[in-house]
PDB file of all heavy atoms in Angstrom:
ATOM      1  N   SER A  92       4.791   1.450  11.417  1.00  0.00           N
ATOM      2  CA  SER A  92       4.897   2.907  11.260  1.00  0.00           C
ATOM      3  C   SER A  92       6.111   3.451  12.004  1.00  0.00           C
ATOM      4  O   SER A  92       6.812   4.344  11.520  1.00  0.00           O
ATOM      5  CB  SER A  92       3.627   3.584  11.779  1.00  0.00           C
ATOM      6  OG  SER A  92       2.502   3.137  11.065  1.00  0.00           O
ATOM      7  N   SER A  93       6.370   2.882  13.173  1.00  0.00           N
ATOM      8  CA  SER A  93       7.523   3.303  13.955  1.00  0.00           C
ATOM      9  C   SER A  93       8.821   2.937  13.241  1.00  0.00           C
ATOM     10  O   SER A  93       9.751   3.740  13.155  1.00  0.00           O
ATOM     11  CB  SER A  93       7.442   2.640  15.330  1.00  0.00           C
ATOM     12  OG  SER A  93       8.712   2.447  15.874  1.00  0.00           O
ATOM     13  N   ARG A  94       8.877   1.740  12.667  1.00  0.00           N
ATOM     14  CA  ARG A  94      10.091   1.323  11.943  1.00  0.00           C
ATOM     15  C   ARG A  94      10.287   2.145  10.668  1.00  0.00           C
ATOM     16  O   ARG A  94      11.408   2.317  10.212  1.00  0.00           O
ATOM     17  CB  ARG A  94      10.021  -0.176  11.629  1.00  0.00           C
ATOM     18  CG  ARG A  94      10.148  -1.039  12.893  1.00  0.00           C
ATOM     19  CD  ARG A  94       9.880  -2.503  12.594  1.00  0.00           C
ATOM     20  NE  ARG A  94      10.814  -3.063  11.650  1.00  0.00           N
ATOM     21  CZ  ARG A  94      11.953  -3.679  11.985  1.00  0.00           C
ATOM     22  NH1 ARG A  94      12.291  -3.824  13.248  1.00  0.00           N
ATOM     23  NH2 ARG A  94      12.754  -4.175  11.048  1.00  0.00           N
ATOM     24  N   ASN A  95       9.192   2.640  10.102  1.00  0.00           N
ATOM     25  CA  ASN A  95       9.303   3.527   8.939  1.00  0.00           C
ATOM     26  C   ASN A  95       9.523   4.985   9.354  1.00  0.00           C
ATOM     27  O   ASN A  95       9.576   5.873   8.504  1.00  0.00           O
ATOM     28  CB  ASN A  95       8.035   3.434   8.078  1.00  0.00           C
ATOM     29  CG  ASN A  95       8.046   2.207   7.175  1.00  0.00           C
ATOM     30  OD1 ASN A  95       9.099   1.766   6.719  1.00  0.00           O
ATOM     31  ND2 ASN A  95       6.865   1.650   6.910  1.00  0.00           N
ATOM     32  N   GLU A  96       9.625   5.215  10.663  1.00  0.00           N
ATOM     33  CA  GLU A  96       9.864   6.554  11.222  1.00  0.00           C
ATOM     34  C   GLU A  96       8.808   7.568  10.796  1.00  0.00           C
ATOM     35  O   GLU A  96       9.093   8.742  10.555  1.00  0.00           O
ATOM     36  CB  GLU A  96      11.276   7.052  10.857  1.00  0.00           C
ATOM     37  CG  GLU A  96      12.359   6.132  11.391  1.00  0.00           C
ATOM     38  CD  GLU A  96      13.765   6.649  11.142  1.00  0.00           C
ATOM     39  OE1 GLU A  96      13.903   7.818  10.742  1.00  0.00           O
ATOM     40  OE2 GLU A  96      14.699   5.868  11.354  1.00  0.00           O
ATOM     41  N   CYS A  97       7.575   7.099  10.655  1.00  0.00           N
ATOM     42  CA  CYS A  97       6.470   7.988  10.301  1.00  0.00           C
ATOM     43  C   CYS A  97       5.804   8.444  11.599  1.00  0.00           C
ATOM     44  O   CYS A  97       5.060   7.696  12.234  1.00  0.00           O
ATOM     45  CB  CYS A  97       5.465   7.268   9.407  1.00  0.00           C
ATOM     46  SG  CYS A  97       4.125   8.354   8.884  1.00  0.00           S
ATOM     47  N   ARG A  98       6.121   9.681  11.995  1.00  0.00           N
ATOM     48  CA  ARG A  98       5.707  10.182  13.297  1.00  0.00           C
ATOM     49  C   ARG A  98       4.180  10.247  13.426  1.00  0.00           C
ATOM     50  O   ARG A  98       3.613   9.885  14.445  1.00  0.00           O
ATOM     51  CB  ARG A  98       6.318  11.569  13.487  1.00  0.00           C
ATOM     52  CG  ARG A  98       6.237  12.097  14.883  1.00  0.00           C
ATOM     53  CD  ARG A  98       6.954  13.448  14.915  1.00  0.00           C
ATOM     54  NE  ARG A  98       6.805  14.086  16.201  1.00  0.00           N
ATOM     55  CZ  ARG A  98       6.615  15.401  16.350  1.00  0.00           C
ATOM     56  NH1 ARG A  98       6.542  16.186  15.293  1.00  0.00           N
ATOM     57  NH2 ARG A  98       6.506  15.920  17.551  1.00  0.00           N
ATOM     58  N   PHE A  99       3.516  10.755  12.376  1.00  0.00           N
ATOM     59  CA  PHE A  99       2.057  10.896  12.458  1.00  0.00           C
ATOM     60  C   PHE A  99       1.389   9.529  12.615  1.00  0.00           C
ATOM     61  O   PHE A  99       0.580   9.302  13.520  1.00  0.00           O
ATOM     62  CB  PHE A  99       1.497  11.604  11.217  1.00  0.00           C
ATOM     63  CG  PHE A  99      -0.008  11.721  11.255  1.00  0.00           C
ATOM     64  CD1 PHE A  99      -0.611  12.771  11.924  1.00  0.00           C
ATOM     65  CD2 PHE A  99      -0.812  10.753  10.664  1.00  0.00           C
ATOM     66  CE1 PHE A  99      -2.004  12.862  12.003  1.00  0.00           C
ATOM     67  CE2 PHE A  99      -2.193  10.826  10.734  1.00  0.00           C
ATOM     68  CZ  PHE A  99      -2.793  11.890  11.409  1.00  0.00           C
ATOM     69  N   CYS A 100       1.725   8.580  11.738  1.00  0.00           N
ATOM     70  CA  CYS A 100       1.070   7.263  11.787  1.00  0.00           C
ATOM     71  C   CYS A 100       1.428   6.515  13.065  1.00  0.00           C
ATOM     72  O   CYS A 100       0.595   5.819  13.644  1.00  0.00           O
ATOM     73  CB  CYS A 100       1.467   6.412  10.576  1.00  0.00           C
ATOM     74  SG  CYS A 100       0.946   7.085   8.986  1.00  0.00           S
ATOM     75  N   THR A 101       2.677   6.640  13.504  1.00  0.00           N
ATOM     76  CA  THR A 101       3.086   5.950  14.733  1.00  0.00           C
ATOM     77  C   THR A 101       2.229   6.413  15.899  1.00  0.00           C
ATOM     78  O   THR A 101       1.677   5.596  16.652  1.00  0.00           O
ATOM     79  CB  THR A 101       4.573   6.214  15.048  1.00  0.00           C
ATOM     80  OG1 THR A 101       5.365   5.777  13.955  1.00  0.00           O
ATOM     81  CG2 THR A 101       4.996   5.469  16.318  1.00  0.00           C
ATOM     82  N   ASN A 102       2.100   7.719  16.047  1.00  0.00           N
ATOM     83  CA  ASN A 102       1.311   8.227  17.176  1.00  0.00           C
ATOM     84  C   ASN A 102      -0.174   7.937  17.008  1.00  0.00           C
ATOM     85  O   ASN A 102      -0.849   7.555  17.966  1.00  0.00           O
ATOM     86  CB  ASN A 102       1.562   9.721  17.368  1.00  0.00           C
ATOM     87  CG  ASN A 102       2.865   9.970  18.101  1.00  0.00           C
ATOM     88  OD1 ASN A 102       3.057   9.486  19.210  1.00  0.00           O
ATOM     89  ND2 ASN A 102       3.784  10.672  17.475  1.00  0.00           N
ATOM     90  N   ALA A 103      -0.690   8.085  15.782  1.00  0.00           N
ATOM     91  CA  ALA A 103      -2.111   7.813  15.559  1.00  0.00           C
ATOM     92  C   ALA A 103      -2.453   6.380  15.977  1.00  0.00           C
ATOM     93  O   ALA A 103      -3.453   6.145  16.676  1.00  0.00           O
ATOM     94  CB  ALA A 103      -2.459   8.029  14.084  1.00  0.00           C
ATOM     95  N   HIS A 104      -1.622   5.425  15.580  1.00  0.00           N
ATOM     96  CA  HIS A 104      -1.951   4.023  15.868  1.00  0.00           C
ATOM     97  C   HIS A 104      -1.492   3.602  17.260  1.00  0.00           C
ATOM     98  O   HIS A 104      -2.080   2.696  17.845  1.00  0.00           O
ATOM     99  CB  HIS A 104      -1.442   3.132  14.743  1.00  0.00           C
ATOM    100  CG  HIS A 104      -2.172   3.432  13.472  1.00  0.00           C
ATOM    101  ND1 HIS A 104      -3.440   2.940  13.230  1.00  0.00           N
ATOM    102  CD2 HIS A 104      -1.883   4.286  12.455  1.00  0.00           C
ATOM    103  CE1 HIS A 104      -3.870   3.462  12.073  1.00  0.00           C
ATOM    104  NE2 HIS A 104      -2.944   4.273  11.594  1.00  0.00           N
ATOM    105  N   ALA A 105      -0.482   4.268  17.807  1.00  0.00           N
ATOM    106  CA  ALA A 105      -0.085   3.982  19.185  1.00  0.00           C
ATOM    107  C   ALA A 105      -1.202   4.388  20.149  1.00  0.00           C
ATOM    108  O   ALA A 105      -1.582   3.620  21.039  1.00  0.00           O
ATOM    109  CB  ALA A 105       1.199   4.718  19.529  1.00  0.00           C
ATOM    110  N   TYR A 106      -1.720   5.586  19.980  1.00  0.00           N
ATOM    111  CA  TYR A 106      -2.799   6.041  20.858  1.00  0.00           C
ATOM    112  C   TYR A 106      -4.046   5.161  20.684  1.00  0.00           C
ATOM    113  O   TYR A 106      -4.796   4.938  21.634  1.00  0.00           O
ATOM    114  CB  TYR A 106      -3.149   7.512  20.586  1.00  0.00           C
ATOM    115  CG  TYR A 106      -2.225   8.497  21.278  1.00  0.00           C
ATOM    116  CD1 TYR A 106      -1.024   8.892  20.701  1.00  0.00           C
ATOM    117  CD2 TYR A 106      -2.559   9.018  22.527  1.00  0.00           C
ATOM    118  CE1 TYR A 106      -0.173   9.792  21.338  1.00  0.00           C
ATOM    119  CE2 TYR A 106      -1.719   9.917  23.176  1.00  0.00           C
ATOM    120  CZ  TYR A 106      -0.527  10.299  22.569  1.00  0.00           C
ATOM    121  OH  TYR A 106       0.304  11.184  23.216  1.00  0.00           O
ATOM    122  N   THR A 107      -4.261   4.678  19.461  1.00  0.00           N
ATOM    123  CA  THR A 107      -5.410   3.801  19.219  1.00  0.00           C
ATOM    124  C   THR A 107      -5.165   2.427  19.832  1.00  0.00           C
ATOM    125  O   THR A 107      -6.030   1.880  20.532  1.00  0.00           O
ATOM    126  CB  THR A 107      -5.668   3.692  17.700  1.00  0.00           C
ATOM    127  OG1 THR A 107      -5.839   5.011  17.183  1.00  0.00           O
ATOM    128  CG2 THR A 107      -6.911   2.874  17.410  1.00  0.00           C
ATOM    129  N   ALA A 108      -3.976   1.863  19.610  1.00  0.00           N
ATOM    130  CA  ALA A 108      -3.641   0.544  20.169  1.00  0.00           C
ATOM    131  C   ALA A 108      -3.695   0.580  21.692  1.00  0.00           C
ATOM    132  O   ALA A 108      -4.041  -0.419  22.343  1.00  0.00           O
ATOM    133  CB  ALA A 108      -2.248   0.108  19.698  1.00  0.00           C
ATOM    134  N   ALA A 109      -3.380   1.738  22.268  1.00  0.00           N
ATOM    135  CA  ALA A 109      -3.360   1.871  23.728  1.00  0.00           C
ATOM    136  C   ALA A 109      -4.745   1.728  24.351  1.00  0.00           C
ATOM    137  O   ALA A 109      -4.869   1.509  25.556  1.00  0.00           O
ATOM    138  CB  ALA A 109      -2.756   3.219  24.118  1.00  0.00           C
ATOM    139  N   ARG A 110      -5.788   1.843  23.537  1.00  0.00           N
ATOM    140  CA  ARG A 110      -7.151   1.694  24.061  1.00  0.00           C
ATOM    141  C   ARG A 110      -7.526   0.228  24.274  1.00  0.00           C
ATOM    142  O   ARG A 110      -8.545  -0.078  24.868  1.00  0.00           O
ATOM    143  CB  ARG A 110      -8.162   2.318  23.096  1.00  0.00           C
ATOM    144  CG  ARG A 110      -7.956   3.809  22.842  1.00  0.00           C
ATOM    145  CD  ARG A 110      -8.207   4.625  24.096  1.00  0.00           C
ATOM    146  NE  ARG A 110      -7.985   6.054  23.856  1.00  0.00           N
ATOM    147  CZ  ARG A 110      -8.908   6.897  23.411  1.00  0.00           C
ATOM    148  NH1 ARG A 110     -10.130   6.451  23.147  1.00  0.00           N
ATOM    149  NH2 ARG A 110      -8.618   8.163  23.233  1.00  0.00           N
ATOM    150  N   TYR A 111      -6.688  -0.670  23.767  1.00  0.00           N
ATOM    151  CA  TYR A 111      -6.996  -2.109  23.896  1.00  0.00           C
ATOM    152  C   TYR A 111      -6.125  -2.722  25.001  1.00  0.00           C
ATOM    153  O   TYR A 111      -5.358  -2.023  25.667  1.00  0.00           O
ATOM    154  CB  TYR A 111      -6.742  -2.803  22.553  1.00  0.00           C
ATOM    155  CG  TYR A 111      -7.624  -2.303  21.423  1.00  0.00           C
ATOM    156  CD1 TYR A 111      -7.191  -1.280  20.577  1.00  0.00           C
ATOM    157  CD2 TYR A 111      -8.897  -2.838  21.223  1.00  0.00           C
ATOM    158  CE1 TYR A 111      -7.994  -0.814  19.544  1.00  0.00           C
ATOM    159  CE2 TYR A 111      -9.709  -2.377  20.183  1.00  0.00           C
ATOM    160  CZ  TYR A 111      -9.249  -1.364  19.345  1.00  0.00           C
ATOM    161  OH  TYR A 111     -10.057  -0.916  18.332  1.00  0.00           O
ATOM    162  N   ASP A 112      -6.227  -4.046  25.164  1.00  0.00           N
ATOM    163  CA  ASP A 112      -5.506  -4.753  26.227  1.00  0.00           C
ATOM    164  C   ASP A 112      -4.018  -4.389  26.246  1.00  0.00           C
ATOM    165  O   ASP A 112      -3.378  -4.391  25.208  1.00  0.00           O
ATOM    166  CB  ASP A 112      -5.629  -6.280  26.020  1.00  0.00           C
ATOM    167  CG  ASP A 112      -7.036  -6.771  26.338  1.00  0.00           C
ATOM    168  OD1 ASP A 112      -7.816  -5.977  26.908  1.00  0.00           O
ATOM    169  OD2 ASP A 112      -7.333  -7.929  26.005  1.00  0.00           O
ATOM    170  N   GLY A 113      -3.519  -4.117  27.423  1.00  0.00           N
ATOM    171  CA  GLY A 113      -2.089  -3.821  27.551  1.00  0.00           C
ATOM    172  C   GLY A 113      -1.796  -2.328  27.614  1.00  0.00           C
ATOM    173  O   GLY A 113      -0.759  -1.916  28.140  1.00  0.00           O
ATOM    174  N   GLY A 114      -2.691  -1.524  27.050  1.00  0.00           N
ATOM    175  CA  GLY A 114      -2.554  -0.071  27.150  1.00  0.00           C
ATOM    176  C   GLY A 114      -1.280   0.481  26.543  1.00  0.00           C
ATOM    177  O   GLY A 114      -0.606  -0.194  25.754  1.00  0.00           O
ATOM    178  N   MET A 115      -0.963   1.729  26.906  1.00  0.00           N
ATOM    179  CA  MET A 115       0.202   2.402  26.317  1.00  0.00           C
ATOM    180  C   MET A 115       1.514   1.754  26.749  1.00  0.00           C
ATOM    181  O   MET A 115       2.499   1.786  26.014  1.00  0.00           O
ATOM    182  CB  MET A 115       0.177   3.892  26.698  1.00  0.00           C
ATOM    183  CG  MET A 115       1.210   4.736  25.964  1.00  0.00           C
ATOM    184  SD  MET A 115       1.092   4.613  24.149  1.00  0.00           S
ATOM    185  CE  MET A 115       0.025   6.022  23.778  1.00  0.00           C
ATOM    186  N   SER A 116       1.511   1.123  27.905  1.00  0.00           N
ATOM    187  CA  SER A 116       2.733   0.458  28.370  1.00  0.00           C
ATOM    188  C   SER A 116       3.143  -0.653  27.392  1.00  0.00           C
ATOM    189  O   SER A 116       4.313  -0.756  26.996  1.00  0.00           O
ATOM    190  CB  SER A 116       2.478  -0.091  29.783  1.00  0.00           C
ATOM    191  OG  SER A 116       3.333  -1.155  30.052  1.00  0.00           O
TER     192      SER A 116
END
Side-chain angles (χ1 to χ4, degrees):
Chain A
S92 300
S93 151
R94 291 172 62 92
N95 280 328
E96 300 185 11
C97 183
R98 193 177 174 219
F99 178 85
C100 297
T101 302
N102 281 302
H104 295 281
Y106 278 86
T107 304
R110 300 294 179 88
Y111 298 93
D112 288 349
M115 189 56 93
S116 156

